[in-house]
Amino acid sequence: MVSLLAGKAAGANMTEIKLHNTLTNQLETLAPQKPDEVKIYTCGPTVYAYAHIGNFRTFMFQDVLRRFLRSQRLRLLHVMNVTDVDDRIIQNAAGAGVSIREYTEKYIQAFLEDMRALNLEQPEVLARATEHIEDMVALIERLQKKGLTYSSDGSIYFRIAKYPAYGKLSKIDMGGIQAGARVDVDRYEKDDARDFALWKAPKPGEHFWESRIGPGRPGWHIECSAMAMKYLGDTLDIHAGGVDLAFPHHENEIAQSEGATSRPFAKVWLHSEHLLIEGQKMSKSLGNFYTLRDLFARGLKPSTVRFLLLSVPYRRQLNFTEDGLLQAQNSVERLRNFVARLKTSNLPTGSDEKNAARIAKAEADFEAALADDLNTAVALAAIFDLVRDANTAMDRGEFKQQDAMRAVSAMEKFDLILAVIADDDEAKLRKLGFGKAEERLAAEQVEALIEQRKTAKAARDFKRADAIRKQLTDSGILLEDAKDGSVRWKYK
Ligand code: AMP
Ligand code: ZN
């Protein structure tokens, strides 16, 4: 691992990292329990569809956090859950006549591919809910022993009235929530509107697990408490997620975990603001979303999307606009052109103290900005100021060979966090089936495959016909079967 602070011992003389803790509503200096390791839990995707770029805004903030902490020579133990069981997943899998595992596998793989396309680092542990049912059952049993639960119609609920600290994260006044109000998104009978399900009794025909606490399936909240504590212990250093999760999800996680252990669950809670489109939160339910693949199909590059998502500090809302995309693309180009110029220009030999100091200042400003609650906007400004000054110095012949080497190495360090300068956009797009025109199937190849598909259909070999259609769509070809049997096609 390369450090921005070369020469510093792990954990020693570290830059003070300040993060905004939702729990205290203050900027706090990060002080992990072990000085050189940070235990992080982040709420991951619900895998019933492709993730949208609003989701990736949140995952991007977590990636910047990861990369910055690593650059500070901190080891990470980061756990992210994959919610692979919930109402929609059970319904959709049943509707498609496949198992939950089979249904979610496609979206889990797509999520991992999308992560790779965006250069999002994989957490150390990716934990699927369905592989941790026993841990959830055991945690519910602990809560039962503590008298914090009750059963109704085969389901088990957390009794909030027995947990006075409830609301400390979101500062929500639970007194104002009337019985009968819908707080949690489930349709079960409970004593109090504020209570939430830990274990849900199966409805007729639904998939369920047999367990010591009866047949059923876990509620969403218990999943995170059980998996976080299994891998990270009772107390995490950081717990993060999108701002919409603070209440009720994270509040419920705290109630379950602290209710069971009587110890603090997470020292620091981080919440990222939403990505908006036309003034509204991008969300699946509103239907106003783009997946990453939607954007790639429109010719956008992975680096453009990554830059856009990280350019706005995580606690500010991010407006998703065409103009923003264009600016992001230009910014990445500018960074790449600068590095290319540094590497290829015929510069005078030697070095200049002034330039060395200028580069060192950019490095220090970049690091200080990220240490200030991950202020990516200020960090980027530090880089672009350097780019401008160095370009001017090169124009004037005042930038020497060793200065250029120093600048290249600074840009490489910045890119450990930005991850947009090294250009592998085309390779990534090709891997996902969005090739460049010259790498696409030639028109004659497409026509030949369409002929073969026709022949296969005529011979009622539908398996082969489908395989050919898949090959074509995977290669970025849109097929349209007309009523008269003819086939029209175009490049995506
Ligand atoms: P989900 O797959 O719906 O459970 O969401 C995964 C993550 O994406 C959660 O941390 C959400 O808070 C986050 N998220 C959902 N919509 C948005 C949005 N429009 N902007 C930023 N984050 C979001
Ligand atoms: Zn969670």
Side-chain angles (χ1 to χ4, degrees):
M1 186 179 74
V2 187
S3 168
L4 289 177
L5 301 173
K8 282 192 185 172
N13 297 325
M14 237 168 33
T15 310
E16 203 177 358
I17 300 169
K18 301 245 185 199
L19 295 170
H20 179 270
N21 187 353
T22 313
L23 203 55
T24 57
N25 199 17
Q26 275 178 1
L27 272 187
E28 287 177 9
T29 301
L30 179 67
Q33 299 160 91
K34 283 193 200 163
D36 62 344
E37 184 189 73
V38 191
K39 294 178 177 175
I40 308 176
Y41 185 87
T42 56
C43 297
T46 309
V47 283
Y48 71 101
Y50 290 103
H52 58 67
I53 54 162
N55 301 131
F56 282 115
R57 201 264 153 130
T58 290
F59 300 130
M60 186 62 70
F61 129 68
Q62 291 156 6
D63 188 63
V64 171
L65 173 70
R66 277 188 62 93
R67 287 169 177 267
F68 180 59
L69 296 181
R70 288 210 303 111
S71 78
Q72 299 296 302
R73 296 201 151 196
L74 289 160
R75 276 185 299 126
L76 301 183
L77 183 51
H78 172 191
V79 179
M80 178 163 84
N81 67 307
V82 174
T83 302
D84 61 350
V85 55
D86 81 342
D87 284 338
R88 289 159 300 193
I89 290 172
I90 289 177
Q91 276 165 20
N92 292 0
V98 296
S99 67
I100 289 179
R101 184 90 190 179
E102 217 178 310
Y103 178 75
T104 54
E105 188 59 29
K106 170 181 166 190
Y107 295 113
I108 293 175
Q109 291 314 320
F111 180 69
L112 295 176
E113 283 170 6
D114 287 357
M115 280 188 85
R116 282 192 287 273
L118 284 176
N119 284 347
L120 295 172
E121 291 184 347
Q122 275 239 10
E124 282 64 33
V125 180
L126 204 61
R128 294 184 192 201
T130 54
E131 290 174 359
H132 295 80
I133 302 288
E134 167 56 32
D135 302 290
M136 302 177 208
V137 168
L139 182 56
I140 295 170
E141 286 176 327
R142 282 176 80 179
L143 293 169
Q144 283 178 324
K145 283 201 189 93
K146 290 216 164 186
L148 291 167
T149 68
Y150 61 94
S151 299
S152 163
D153 285 345
S155 295
I156 304 172
Y157 298 91
F158 188 95
R159 192 185 290 283
I160 288 180
K162 285 272 178 73
Y163 186 73
Y166 194 89
K168 68 178 175 182
L169 179 72
S170 52
K171 326 287 184 278
I172 201 132
D173 175 9
M174 291 306 283
I177 294 182
Q178 303 298 316
R182 274 177 67 97
V183 175
D184 206 353
V185 279
D186 57 48
R187 296 164 267 131
Y188 294 82
E189 284 312 311
K190 40 194 179 181
D191 288 358
D192 187 323
R194 307 173 306 170
D195 295 339
F196 57 91
L198 298 164
W199 188 254
K200 300 181 176 186
K203 298 196 201 81
E206 261 187 1
H207 184 89
F208 63 91
W209 281 264
E210 283 295 353
S211 80
R212 295 186 299 275
I213 52 175
R217 63 195 164 91
W220 169 38
H221 314 297
I222 199 72
E223 176 189 319
C224 285
S225 284
M227 296 197 285
M229 295 197 294
K230 171 174 181 145
Y231 294 104
L232 301 173
D234 291 351
T235 304
L236 332 173
D237 294 309
I238 298 178
H239 192 315
V243 66
D244 54 320
L245 299 190
F247 178 81
H249 181 54
H250 291 159
E251 206 70 76
N252 293 352
E253 283 188 41
I254 293 176
Q256 296 163 152
S257 298
E258 300 193 357
T261 67
S262 304
R263 301 176 66 178
F265 177 46
K267 290 173 69 177
V268 177
W269 285 86
L270 305 180
H271 289 104
S272 53
E273 276 296 339
H274 286 143
L275 179 138
L276 307 182
I277 183 159
E278 286 161 7
Q280 272 186 313
K281 176 191 171 194
M282 182 174 282
S283 77
K284 278 173 204 145
S285 53
L286 290 173
N288 60 352
F289 64 90
Y290 290 105
T291 65
L292 205 51
R293 287 147 207 258
D294 293 334
L295 298 184
F296 294 160
R298 284 179 39 190
L300 286 155
K301 295 179 188 175
S303 60
T304 303
V305 184
R306 180 171 170 101
F307 188 95
L308 178 71
L309 293 180
L310 65 70
S311 60
V312 176
Y314 76 98
R315 290 211 302 131
R316 287 218 308 258
Q317 292 182 328
L318 192 166
N319 265 312
F320 181 75
T321 61
E322 293 293 330
D323 194 42
L325 282 168
L326 200 63
Q327 277 184 31
Q329 188 175 327
N330 290 339
S331 301
V332 174
E333 283 307 307
R334 195 162 153 74
L335 297 175
R336 288 178 178 173
N337 290 340
F338 176 61
V339 173
R341 183 176 187 194
L342 290 170
K343 285 183 175 168
T344 56
S345 293
N346 212 345
L347 301 173
T349 52
S351 68
D352 186 323
E353 265 317 299
K354 230 173 46 220
N355 292 328
R358 181 65 195 84
I359 295 166
K361 178 179 172 350
E363 287 182 318
D365 290 350
F366 179 78
E367 187 177 321
L370 291 176
D372 180 16
D373 202 22
L374 306 176
N375 194 330
T376 47
V378 174
L380 287 171
I383 302 177
F384 284 103
D385 286 352
L386 172 68
V387 172
R388 189 197 54 224
D389 291 352
N391 272 327
T392 310
M394 270 191 273
D395 293 343
R396 292 193 187 133
E398 292 169 3
F399 214 73
K400 312 253 171 78
Q401 278 176 19
Q402 278 180 35
D403 302 329
M405 277 165 61
R406 273 209 186 99
V408 167
S409 124
M411 294 300 281
E412 282 168 359
K413 283 182 199 163
F414 298 146
D415 210 36
L416 291 176
I417 288 162
L418 302 184
V420 295
I421 300 177
D423 183 357
D424 53 1
D425 283 325
E426 288 306 333
K428 283 173 171 165
L429 287 171
R430 252 200 322 274
K431 220 169 166 187
L432 291 173
F434 302 95
K436 251 170 68 173
E438 61 266 30
E439 285 147 359
R440 288 170 174 165
L441 289 177
E444 311 84 78
Q445 290 173 296
V446 177
E447 300 284 3
L449 283 166
I450 289 175
E451 267 315 305
Q452 287 176 27
R453 179 166 164 262
K454 260 195 207 159
T455 314
K457 271 185 164 175
R460 305 190 66 76
D461 186 354
F462 296 114
K463 214 167 150 191
R464 168 138 179 78
D466 284 346
I468 296 173
R469 172 180 258 280
K470 184 169 183 322
Q471 184 186 349
L472 286 165
T473 44
D474 286 354
S475 314
I477 308 295
L478 286 177
L479 284 187
E480 213 179 280
D481 288 312
K483 281 206 187 101
D484 64 2
S486 65
V487 179
R488 282 193 304 192
W489 67 273
K490 61 179 182 190
Y491 293 115
K492 252 192 232 171

